[in-house]
Amino acid sequence: MKYSKREIGCESFISLKDYSKATSVEEIGPAVETTLNETFSSNSGYDRKWLLNHHYALPNRNIDYNNSPGVSVSYIDKCILTQPNYELMLGNKIIWESFHSKFAMKTYLFNKMDKYEHIAALNTVTLKNEGPLFIMPHRWYMHNYYHWSVETLPKLEVYFQLKKRIRGLKLLIHKFKNGSFQSQWLSILGISKDECVYIDEESNYYMTKVIYCPTIGTNHANKYSTKMLRKLMMRVQRNKDWEGNSDSQNIFISRKPGSVRSIINHPEIEEIMRIYRFSTVYSEDHSVIQQLKLFSKANCVCGVHGSGLSNMFSMQRKMSILEVMTPTMINPCFYDLACSLELEYGFLVGRYDNCNREKQMLYLNPMEFEDQLKNMVEKA
C-alpha cells in the first residue's frame, strides 16, 4: 500500500483529542502548571535571561518553562507509523501530538514538500500483531543519547506501568546493534526480545491496537519526564551489575584530544581538576551502567556540552553541575534537565581560535575555570 502525494497535504492534521476512536487508557499524571524549581547558579558569570536569549532555537520551539504537561496515553485502533521521523497517521491525516516538537513540525514538515514525497514513496507494511503495541520510536531516539535519555527512557517507565494492566502489551522498536546504548539499556531493564516487535527504517507500518504516549511534556526535560527517570533508576539499581561499591568522586566528563568540542588546553585544565580532586572520565570508555554509577556517587560533575552529561538524572538532589559550552551554540537543554532534577547548575562559555573553529575545539581561560570550579566545590 502506498499513499499519493495528494493524500498527504500540508493541512492534513488531526489531534488525538479530536479523534473519536482514541479513548484514554490511563492518565498517569494530571496536566498542571508548575514553576520549575530554579537552581541556576549565580556563580556562572551569566544570568538565566542571558542563557535563554542565546538559545539557538528557542524562538522557534515555543517552550513554556512554566508549563509541564502531564503524561497522557491514548488507544488508537488503526494507524500508520511513517518514515523517516516516525509521526503517526490516521487515514491520510497526521497526528500533531506525534511531532517531536513545534520547531520540528515547522522546519521539517511545513516548509519541505519532500517530506510528503518521502512518506508517499515508501511501501506500507502491515504488522499482524495479536496484542496491543506500545510505540517507542520518535524522531531522534536512534542516534542521540540525550534524546534517548530525556524522551525515550521516560516512555519506558510508562510502558512498565501499563504492562501491569494491559495483557500482551509489547514494544514497537528497532533492533539495535549489540553494544549500542539502546541495547544496553534494554538489557539493564530486563526487556527481552520476546517483549519486542521490531521494525526497520525502510517502510511505513500499518498497525492495529496501538498504545501511544506522546513525548512527555516537551522535548526538553520537565518535572514529569524526570519523575519517570527517577523511577526508572530504581529499576536500574535492582540490576545485578549495579551491585558492588563505587567510590565517591567528583568527575570531569571530557572529550578525547582532537575530537569535536574537545579542550585545546586540556593538560592545563586537567591539572586544575587534580587540585580539586576531580577524576577525568571519557564516556566512551565506560558502559552505560558504569556511567550511571559514577554519576550517582558524584557530588560535583563538570563537562563539555554533549550527551555525556545526560546521565545526571542518576545524581542525588542538590548536587552540582558545571557545563562548558561553545560560543556558537548556547543550548539550555542541560540547564532544563538540571533544574528539573533539583541540581545546582552553572556554566562557562569557552572560545575558539581560528584553526579549530570547524571542530568547535575550545580554549578555556584557566583562571575563570578555576574560579567556577572552586565555587562549585565549596557549595557542594
Side-chain angles (χ1 to χ4, degrees):
M1 180 171 64
K2 289 188 177 181
Y3 283 99
S4 70
K5 296 175 188 176
R6 290 183 179 179
E7 286 180 306
I8 309 172
C10 285
E11 303 303 323
S12 297
F13 299 98
I14 192 169
S15 170
L16 285 177
K17 298 173 185 176
D18 302 325
Y19 179 51
S20 60
K21 294 183 180 180
T23 57
S24 177
V25 173
E26 181 174 9
E27 188 72 16
I28 296 174
V32 298
E33 288 192 0
T34 180
T35 301
L36 295 180
N37 180 21
E38 295 182 15
T39 55
F40 191 86
S41 171
S42 60
N43 295 319
S44 65
Y46 305 90
D47 60 19
R48 179 176 184 269
K49 182 179 179 182
W50 183 92
L51 176 66
L52 297 184
N53 285 343
H54 284 74
H55 182 15
Y56 70 104
L58 190 64
N60 294 319
R61 289 183 185 268
N62 300 315
I63 296 170
D64 180 357
Y65 283 87
N66 294 322
N67 183 30
S68 296
V71 181
S72 62
V73 179
S74 294
Y75 170 78
I76 306 172
D77 55 356
K78 297 175 184 177
C79 69
I80 290 177
L81 185 70
T82 69
Q83 303 281 359
N85 299 323
Y86 313 115
E87 286 94 14
L88 290 181
M89 294 187 68
L90 297 174
N92 64 344
K93 294 183 180 291
I94 302 175
I95 300 174
W96 72 262
E97 286 98 338
S98 65
F99 286 97
H100 176 260
S101 66
K102 293 180 182 179
F103 170 72
M105 185 192 297
K106 178 179 179 181
T107 304
Y108 298 103
L109 191 62
F110 289 161
N111 299 332
K112 293 190 176 182
M113 281 305 297
D114 60 348
K115 171 66 181 290
Y116 299 102
E117 293 171 1
H118 182 90
I119 294 173
L122 293 175
N123 285 324
T124 299
V125 175
T126 299
L127 290 179
K128 297 180 181 179
N129 51 298
E130 295 180 2
L133 295 175
F134 186 91
I135 295 183
M136 291 298 297
H138 59 80
R139 180 179 176 80
W140 294 22
Y141 94 135
M142 286 287 288
H143 309 291
N144 186 289
Y145 188 69
Y146 169 79
H147 290 282
W148 171 268
S149 300
V150 172
E151 297 161 6
T152 305
L153 292 181
K155 286 188 179 184
L156 280 175
E157 178 58 31
V158 175
Y159 163 74
F160 281 125
Q161 294 188 29
L162 290 176
K163 192 179 173 185
K164 299 175 184 176
R165 301 170 176 84
I166 303 174
R167 182 177 297 178
L169 183 63
K170 292 192 174 185
L171 284 175
L172 183 76
I173 199 166
H174 287 77
K175 194 167 188 177
F176 300 110
K177 292 181 180 179
N178 290 334
S180 67
F181 60 78
Q182 298 99 330
S183 63
Q184 288 184 61
W185 264 107
L186 296 177
S187 175
I188 290 168
L189 296 171
I191 297 172
S192 68
K193 293 180 180 179
D194 293 338
E195 293 182 62
C196 302
V197 172
Y198 295 109
I199 60 173
D200 59 33
E201 298 179 78
E202 306 301 325
S203 305
N204 299 323
Y205 288 88
Y206 174 81
M207 299 163 290
T208 58
K209 295 179 288 187
V210 164
I211 307 295
Y212 186 64
C213 174
T215 299
I216 298 172
T218 68
N219 60 311
H220 280 225
N222 60 60
K223 290 293 183 182
Y224 284 101
S225 60
T226 52
K227 181 180 178 181
M228 296 293 117
L229 287 171
R230 294 290 197 193
K231 287 185 176 181
L232 209 63
M233 276 304 302
M234 295 173 67
R235 299 181 188 275
V236 173
Q237 291 167 6
R238 294 197 290 267
N239 186 285
K240 61 181 178 59
D241 292 330
W242 189 266
E243 297 174 2
N245 294 325
S246 179
D247 294 335
S248 177
Q249 57 181 321
N250 295 328
I251 55 176
F252 174 47
I253 306 299
S254 189
R255 290 173 173 254
K256 293 188 175 179
S259 61
V260 174
R261 294 201 294 275
S262 58
I263 297 173
I264 299 168
N265 56 330
H266 185 271
E268 192 174 16
I269 295 303
E270 192 167 40
E271 185 57 37
I272 297 171
M273 288 288 181
R274 289 195 191 97
I275 295 172
Y276 292 92
R277 299 181 180 179
F278 276 72
S279 299
T280 300
V281 173
Y282 297 103
S283 298
E284 59 267 39
D285 293 340
H286 299 269
S287 67
V288 166
I289 201 162
Q290 288 170 342
Q291 293 177 54
L292 292 170
K293 289 177 74 172
L294 286 169
F295 273 79
S296 71
K297 294 290 185 178
N299 292 323
C300 301
V301 173
C302 176
V304 178
H305 176 85
S307 294
L309 291 176
S310 302
N311 289 316
M312 68 172 76
F313 65 81
S314 68
M315 296 177 70
Q316 302 300 311
R317 290 178 174 85
K318 307 303 180 185
M319 299 297 100
S320 297
I321 291 284
L322 176 63
E323 179 182 5
V324 176
M325 292 189 184
T326 69
T328 54
M329 192 176 74
I330 307 299
N331 186 334
C333 61
F334 292 112
Y335 161 64
D336 294 335
L337 185 54
C339 285
S340 295
L341 292 166
E342 299 179 46
L343 301 173
E344 292 286 342
Y345 175 89
F347 72 99
L348 178 70
V349 181
R351 69 172 186 261
Y352 300 143
D353 61 34
N354 292 331
C355 298
N356 297 287
R357 182 179 295 273
E358 185 176 344
K359 276 196 169 184
Q360 302 180 31
M361 293 167 67
L362 295 166
Y363 173 83
L364 296 185
N365 183 300
M367 292 182 64
E368 290 181 5
F369 181 75
E370 185 169 5
D371 286 344
Q372 290 266 31
L373 209 62
K374 183 179 179 181
N375 285 330
M376 180 170 68
V377 171
E378 287 177 350
K379 281 192 168 187

